[in-house]
Amino acid sequence: MDIHRCRFVPYPPSAINALAFSHPSNANAKGKGPATLRLAIGRANGDIEIWNPLKGSWFQETILRGGKDRSIEGLVWTQDPDEEDRDGWRIPGKLRLFSIGYSATVTEWDLELGKPIRHSSGSYGEAWCIAAQPRVQARGSTSTDVKSEGQFEGQHLAVGCADGAVVLFSTADGDLRFIRTLTRPSTKRARSLSIAFKNRDVVVAGYADSTIRAFDVRNGQLLRSMSLGSGPTGGPREILVWSVKCLPDGTIVSGDSTGELRFWDGNNYTLVQRLKSHVADILDVAVSSDGESVMSGGMDRRTTVYKRVGSGKNGDRRRWAELSHQRFHSHDVKVLATFETKNLSIVASGGLDTTPIIIPFREFGKEYYRKISSLPQSPQLHSAPAERLIMTWWEREISIWRVYGSPEAREDSEGLDQGLSDRTRKLVARIAVKGEENITSACISANGKLLAVSTVSEVKLFRLRQRTAENTDALRVSKFEVPQALFKNGAKLLVFSPDTHWLAIVDVSNSIRLFRILEDSASKIGIRLLPKAIDLKRVHRERAKQTLQHGSLGNYDRTVIRATFSEDSRVLVGGDLSGYLDSWVLEGHEDLTQTTDDYVGDARTSSPSSDDESDGEKEQPVVILGEHWIRNPAATLLPKLPSAPLVLSFRPSRQYSGRPVTNGNTAVHPTRHNPHPHSHDLPAGEDRLLVLTCEHHIYEFHILKGRLSEWSRRNPTQTLPGDFREVRDRAMGCVWDISEERQRVWLYGSGWLWMFDLGRDFASPKKDTIDAGPRPEDNSTSNTANRKKRKLEDRHSDADADEDVNRTLSKHDSGAGGKVRASQLSTGIGRKIRRTIGPDTEDSRWTWLDEPGSPDSDDGDDDEELPGRLTALAASRRGPDGGPKANAAVDGEGGDVTNSRANGSVERKGDEGPGWWSTYKYRPILGIVPIGTVVEEGVHGNGRPGIEVALVERPMWDVDLPPRYYGDQEWDQ
């Protein structure tokens, strides 16, 4: 594979201004959060990213696009009260997301539609901060926010404004209504900068006039005003209270512009303690669910952790002390958000460096932090290999580049000026999309002739043609004039078929529609779009019953996030967040003798196995030029994936030479009453679909047969290389390299690139790895723990023992990174002792104080496949030694297969090279796209076809950021 390493493609990531978890912390809850736990990240360009923690995998599910001059400055989640249906069953309350940003408007977002659904504004200043009322707790709870008779069970919103007002909004009845304005301060500089609820009746707000004020939301009365005094000598007189938070016991914590963290008594509103831990402004504060830990972040890039010390008995007064501080960010730490359970304790932080970072809270200093890429999970990058074009987009702008090949190829190019042959690329088109909304999706056809762009309100099509002027390589862009009624709902996802005959659109309601594209010499631009849309039905799925306390996201899990065509453009597959795959096939053969006005049936496809059809009623499919789309007859046989698909890609065919075009339908004869008959032949091309889930499970399906391929049946997840299973950054896409000699797929993430040869089987896991279960002689799990303990005690090497302990503990981290090795810990006392029995000091062993025990299991962990042994079915498909069977056929390809190599890969006789390969030298990767083919030199000197790709990197040092704060001891300034 020939790689063009590109850094010229611009993609400006946006600063993080707001973070919010969908659920409050609960230290008594088991597992690593409920299934509906989400993290919302608000950025300065108006986009909101929805992330699923997925027990540490951190998968970006979707992006709610913003618009021009819009910024997200605050985010909160609420949960509606539970309801009862007609049968008396309780229905979990719906989770709702609200935002503010540089205006007097509060916006509610619909996760299913991906756009705002409700706004509320009034005669008050710009909204600077927002907070949600604590949820009502059941009776018997230790919390003070317990339910009382006649009390509103939902959550009000409190918004702090630039004029000092605190405005209260109601979320009752699924609406957003203004309730009242609390007492407005009389001073002109009293801007409300931060706000938090102490309990359901009291809200605390920090102001820009050196004051913290507490209000009673029931009547709007000012309860107390707490003064911070004057600013430091030589600085501003007023102190800005950038953040306020409340501990479970009512203690108020504030961070201000002097860099001080202050603690206030929640009963009499007096200052208890203050700590000077930052050399610049503290911008945000996060508190733990048990009230024993606090974290702060500020302009000096420091993230500081504080612990409460002292027993509180016998005159030992409890005080707060700084535990440690680190610099995780390269710029201001602007926002913090925390979530905790019994097995999960994390703080999400973000700021001007655009990168979200997950920091361990409870295990701060004992676990590594986790840096998440600021680039989108779904690459905003496409290519047209036929014309060597690369298309990328951001906000409301699209750029198209042409990448040139070898110097010989550039010299042979026609229509280029004298100096162009020395260039490696050129910007050939730049398009600024009119309107206020940001682009949701864009794609370019494989032949480089069409460009489709969508927002939440419209879809636009453009024709790309070479300019007629000589010595130029620029493209002429012409807009398609199509009826806007066809695209009235906008779109989330656009996909062109490889032959450019079909355009698939996933609209905001997650319906999939197809449009036929025809070449028309009579048209001014040479192409026209048929005004008849084909609506594809999705299989009805029964939704799983949700737990009441976890809340509901509605039909959000049915959001279509990936869609792809087969190489012959006759199979379409879409995948949603719940893990379901919907597929459709194109029946018949193209009949060019049929006029485009001769449509048969209505605009909805049907299938004999349709679950949505009523008895005795059958819909006729739309027939266009002798072809019509139907639901895949084997669609219901495809299993539900364990998690959402990240990558959907059909395996290319090695013999495919283009789509056959028949002028009429073979063996289908016209009659008087049916002058244009159509065939019901199903596609006969390659139908193997590679699926990579967000948990990095790899499957390959025969879509038309509704089952796993032979390769996938022989190679379950536990046979994947261990290094690949331990990769934390999620995959972004794949590129195929298929020829007569190899069947390779290249998977990539933001910081890694892996190659797998699907023509070979992976090696079986070694038997001396982690066991898949207790041995027959073991009677309890304690024996297993003792056996692991004895195994560790037998290690005499400090380095070996240290590595073994951390390998065992890596799966039991608290949600951020893995465990820090004991030898690398910078805080606390030593965690191993040397145990000597008898007078002989040589007979001594190291014993670890933090040895792995039996932590509480997470929800669903028992169902995961451990990498210790193959399943019985997978082993039966292999040889007796666990390797591939001799003379086994690899998905229909015959050939001798040898045993596994020493490096873990599997080879065929006469072939060389590993079965997989990886590198981490490219980062961060915006995307990898094919741009052409090359002839590679073979082992014996003969040339063989290969793939040519463009690997686009977007390093952060190339991103323009505002100046940052430098302290007195900053050596890198």
Side-chain angles (χ1 to χ4, degrees), residues 29 44 173 210 233 257 293 353 398 411 423 525 569 658 754 799 846 864 879 893 923:
D173 303 325
S210 307
T233 304
S257 58
S293 302
D353 61 358
I398 299 172
E411 291 176 0
R423 303 179 187 177
I525 58 178
S569 303
W754 273 80
W846 287 103
E864 295 183 0
E893 299 291 334
R923 60 178 61 189

Side-chain angles (χ1 to χ4, degrees), residues 411-439:
E411 291 176 0
D412 296 338
S413 300
E414 298 180 358
L416 303 181
D417 57 18
Q418 182 66 26
L420 193 58
S421 60
D422 297 331
R423 303 179 187 177
T424 59
R425 83 277 181 179
K426 181 181 180 182
L427 180 65
V428 295
R430 178 175 291 172
I431 304 170
V433 179
K434 295 182 180 180
E436 298 292 327
E437 292 84 6
N438 289 346
I439 297 173

Side-chain angles (χ1 to χ4, degrees), residues 357-377:
I357 293 180
I358 309 302
I359 306 171
F361 200 2
R362 191 181 302 130
E363 299 293 328
F364 186 85
K366 300 180 182 179
E367 293 180 0
Y368 294 104
Y369 68 94
R370 171 82 178 277
K371 181 178 291 187
I372 300 176
S373 175
S374 60
L375 303 178
Q377 183 79 61

